Amino acid sequence: MYKLSFPLNMLLHLFIYTIGPKEGWQVYSSAQDADGRCICTVVAPEQSLCSRDAKSRQLRQLLEKVQNMSQSIEVLNLRTQRDFQYFRQIEDERKSIIARNFQELKDKMDELKPLIPVLEQYKMDAALISQFKEEIRNLSAVLTGIQEEVGAFDYDELYQRVLRLDSRLRSCMGKLTCGKLMKITGPVTIKTSGTRFGAWMTDPLASTRNNRVWYMDSYTNSKIVREYKTMDDFVAGVVSRTYNLPFKWEGTNHIVYNGSLYYNKYQSNIIVKYSFETGSVLAQRALEFAGFHNMYPYTWGGFSDIDVMADELGMWAVYATNQNAGNVVISQIDPYTLQVMKTWNTEYSKRNAGESFMICGTLYITNSHLSGAKVYYAYSTKTSSYEYIDIPFHNQYFHISMLDYNARERALYAWNNGHQVIFNVTLFHVIKTDDDS
C-alpha cells in the first residue's frame, strides 16, 4: 500500500490512473490527519503479482512525482511564512522609526519655546535702538542746517539735546551685561615685526586717554619690555620707554593689568607682578602643582604652560597639574597678592589646546594654533559646566603663539607668526531692564 500527504492550504491537482477491481486494484480513498493534511491511499495487489505489470510501474512513477510535489509544496509554504514574518518585522520597524522621528521633532520644538521671551525682549530693544537712530538723524539734520545758516537755531538747546542723548546712550550701554561669545571676525593686521613668537598688549583697566602699548618679543631668554605711548607710535616704531625686568620670562602669555605686568618667571611655576611705575617687583607667588617649562604647554610648545589673563571679572591663571591628569585648571587670582581665590578643574587636555582666553568668566579654548583653528570648548566658571562649540576664525598667518582678550576694547590681541593682529568679537548680551534692578 502506498501513502502520500500534502498540506490542505496549498492547491494541488492530481491526475491518477483509476484501476478497476477486476484488474486486482482497489479504488483509492482520502482522509485528513491531525495536522490538517490530506492522506491519499491506494491499495494494490501483492507486489509479486504485479511487480512487472505496466500499470504498476506507472503507479509507482506517479506516486514518486506526487511525493516530490508534496515536498516542494512544504518548502514553498515554509518560505512563504518566513517572508511574511520578515515583512511584518519591516513594517513594525518603520512604524517605530516614524514614531521616534516625530518625538525628536517635538523635543526640538520644546527646546525652542524658551527662546520666545528672549526674542520678545530683543524686539523691545530693537524699537529702542530705532528710536535712538531716529534722534541721531534728526540732530544730524539740525547740525547740517546750522552749518548752512549759523545762528538759525538755539545752540544751547541743541547742546543740551546732545548731552541728553549721550546720557541715554551711555545708560543703554551700561545695561549690557557680560555676554557669550558668538563670533570672531578679522583679523586686522596692526604691524609686522619680531620673531614668530611673542606678546603685545594694552591695559584693559587704563583710562580712555591712556593707549600705551607693551611689546615682548620671543617666548624665552629675554627680559626687555618696550613701551609705546600710542598705537600710532607702536606702528611707527617710536619707543617711549624700555624696561629691563629682574627675571626672564617664559612663554608668551603675559598681561598688563592696572599698570603692572604679570608674567611667568623662567623655569618655574611662579607668577611675577612687576610695576611699570616703580620699576620693581610688587609680588611673586608659585602656582601650586602647576606644570612648567614645557610640561603642559599649548600645542605649539614654547614654554606656554602657564597663561595669565584678565576679563570683565578680574584676573585668571590657566595651567595644568599632574593631580588633574594634565587637564586644564582655571584659577581666579587676586591681582594684589597673587593668591589663588578659587579653582576649577576641567576635563580638557592642556596639550590639546591651541590657545585660550577668558570672557565674562568663561574660558574659551581653541583646538589648534595652525590653519583651520576654531574655538572648540567653553568652560563656565559661573555654572562649573562645559560645552563643545564651533566658532571659526581666520588664522591669516598660519601660526598663533598668543591670543588674549582685552575687556576694555572687547577684542582679541594675537601674535600671528610675526604679525601683531586684532580680532573683533561678537557677544550675545543680556540687557538688563528697569524691572531687573
Side-chain angles (χ1 to χ4, degrees):
M1 181 173 66
Y2 301 93
K3 291 185 179 182
L4 48 112
S5 62
F6 49 87
L8 287 175
N9 58 352
M10 304 299 296
L11 180 63
L12 174 66
H13 296 282
L14 302 176
F15 298 92
I16 304 177
Y17 292 98
T18 304
I19 305 173
K22 64 180 180 178
E23 296 174 281
W25 300 85
Q26 294 183 7
V27 178
Y28 71 92
S29 63
S30 65
Q32 187 175 10
D33 66 6
D35 295 330
R37 295 180 297 181
C38 181
I39 306 299
C40 299
T41 305
V42 176
V43 180
E46 293 183 8
Q47 189 169 2
S48 60
L49 298 178
C50 60
S51 59
R52 297 181 179 179
D53 186 86
K55 291 185 177 180
S56 175
R57 288 195 302 273
Q58 291 177 355
L59 179 60
R60 282 197 301 271
Q61 293 172 357
L62 178 63
L63 290 177
E64 289 175 357
K65 291 180 180 180
V66 171
Q67 287 176 346
N68 292 335
M69 292 177 65
S70 176
Q71 292 174 357
S72 299
I73 290 171
E74 289 182 355
V75 170
L76 180 61
N77 182 44
L78 291 175
R79 290 181 178 177
T80 303
Q81 291 179 356
R82 184 181 60 196
D83 292 341
F84 176 75
Q85 291 176 355
Y86 171 75
F87 285 116
R88 185 168 59 186
Q89 180 181 357
I90 292 295
E91 179 65 17
D92 292 342
E93 290 179 355
R94 187 182 69 86
K95 292 180 180 178
S96 175
I97 292 173
I98 292 175
R100 186 166 61 250
N101 289 341
F102 273 110
Q103 184 61 39
E104 290 179 356
L105 288 174
K106 183 177 180 300
D107 293 341
K108 289 187 177 295
M109 292 301 297
D110 291 340
E111 291 176 1
L112 293 176
K113 287 180 180 178
L115 294 178
I116 294 176
V118 176
L119 294 175
E120 291 294 332
Q121 179 65 47
Y122 268 90
K123 184 178 179 182
M124 296 172 59
D125 298 333
L128 179 62
I129 292 172
S130 298
Q131 182 182 349
F132 286 155
K133 290 170 67 177
E134 184 64 28
E135 290 195 29
I136 291 173
R137 280 195 294 266
N138 292 339
L139 287 173
S140 298
V142 172
L143 289 172
T144 302
I146 290 175
Q147 288 179 345
E148 295 175 354
E149 188 176 350
V150 179
F153 198 90
D154 188 340
Y155 177 80
D156 290 335
E157 180 182 350
L158 179 62
Y159 182 70
Q160 291 301 320
R161 287 180 63 181
V162 172
L163 290 180
R164 287 195 298 270
L165 178 61
D166 180 72
S167 176
R168 293 178 63 187
L169 288 172
R170 290 184 182 277
S171 175
C172 182
M173 288 297 296
K175 292 179 180 180
L176 291 178
T177 61
C178 268
K180 179 179 180 180
L181 180 64
M182 301 298 292
K183 186 178 181 181
I184 300 175
T185 56
V188 176
T189 302
I190 305 300
K191 187 176 181 179
T192 300
S193 64
T195 64
R196 293 184 65 194
F197 319 99
W200 72 294
M201 65 219 78
T202 59
D203 189 344
L205 294 187
S207 65
T208 55
R209 293 177 297 178
N210 184 348
N211 295 309
R212 288 185 295 174
V213 178
W214 289 271
Y215 180 89
M216 302 169 68
D217 192 11
S218 185
Y219 65 87
T220 187
N221 201 31
S222 180
K223 298 191 294 181
I224 303 300
V225 180
R226 294 180 176 87
E227 179 182 290
Y228 303 84
K229 283 186 177 181
T230 65
M231 191 67 73
D232 290 338
D233 285 350
F234 172 65
V235 174
V238 181
V239 179
S240 63
R241 191 171 177 181
T242 300
Y243 301 89
N244 192 356
L245 301 177
F247 313 110
K248 295 179 181 179
W249 67 71
E250 189 161 273
T252 59
N253 308 117
H254 332 295
I255 63 165
V256 174
Y257 190 74
N258 199 22
S260 294
L261 172 68
Y262 297 81
Y263 69 96
N264 180 203
K265 186 177 180 180
Y266 181 64
Q267 290 189 337
S268 74
N269 58 4
I270 295 174
I271 297 177
V272 177
K273 177 183 180 181
Y274 176 83
S275 171
F276 287 126
E277 183 178 357
T278 64
S280 61
V281 173
L282 300 182
Q284 54 179 317
R285 185 182 295 271
L287 278 174
E288 188 176 20
F289 305 123
F292 62 93
H293 206 63
N294 271 355
M295 182 181 295
Y296 296 117
Y298 288 129
T299 53
W300 65 274
F303 305 143
S304 55
D305 304 64
I306 297 175
D307 193 344
V308 186
M309 56 186 72
D311 68 354
E312 293 85 350
L313 304 185
M315 201 174 85
W316 309 81
V318 172
Y319 52 98
T321 64
N322 288 334
Q323 288 74 6
N324 196 37
N327 294 325
V328 170
V329 176
I330 307 169
S331 290
Q332 190 164 21
I333 304 295
D334 185 325
Y336 298 100
T337 65
L338 301 182
Q339 189 170 2
V340 173
M341 297 187 290
K342 190 174 181 180
T343 295
W344 294 261
N345 291 325
T346 77
E347 297 180 358
Y348 196 96
S349 171
K350 179 69 162 53
R351 286 181 170 273
N352 290 335
E355 276 288 343
S356 68
F357 53 90
M358 294 287 293
I359 298 180
C360 298
T362 296
L363 179 70
Y364 295 94
I365 298 178
T366 69
N367 64 341
S368 174
H369 64 284
L370 301 173
S371 297
K374 61 184 178 180
V375 180
Y376 181 69
Y377 178 91
Y379 186 94
S380 170
T381 59
K382 181 179 179 181
T383 61
S384 298
S385 62
Y386 70 90
E387 62 176 332
Y388 288 97
I389 57 179
D390 188 353
I391 303 178
F393 62 94
H394 182 39
N395 188 349
Q396 184 169 351
Y397 303 106
F398 317 117
H399 188 289
I400 291 179
S401 59
M402 170 251 177
L403 189 64
D404 206 5
Y405 175 68
N406 186 297
R408 183 183 72 168
E409 301 175 27
R410 289 192 172 170
L412 293 171
Y413 280 62
W415 191 290
N416 196 182
N417 203 8
H419 300 78
Q420 293 74 52
V421 303
I422 292 179
F423 293 93
N424 292 316
V425 298
T426 301
L427 303 182
F428 177 84
H429 290 288
V430 177
I431 299 178
K432 293 181 180 177
T433 63
D434 294 334
D435 296 334
D436 297 330
S437 56

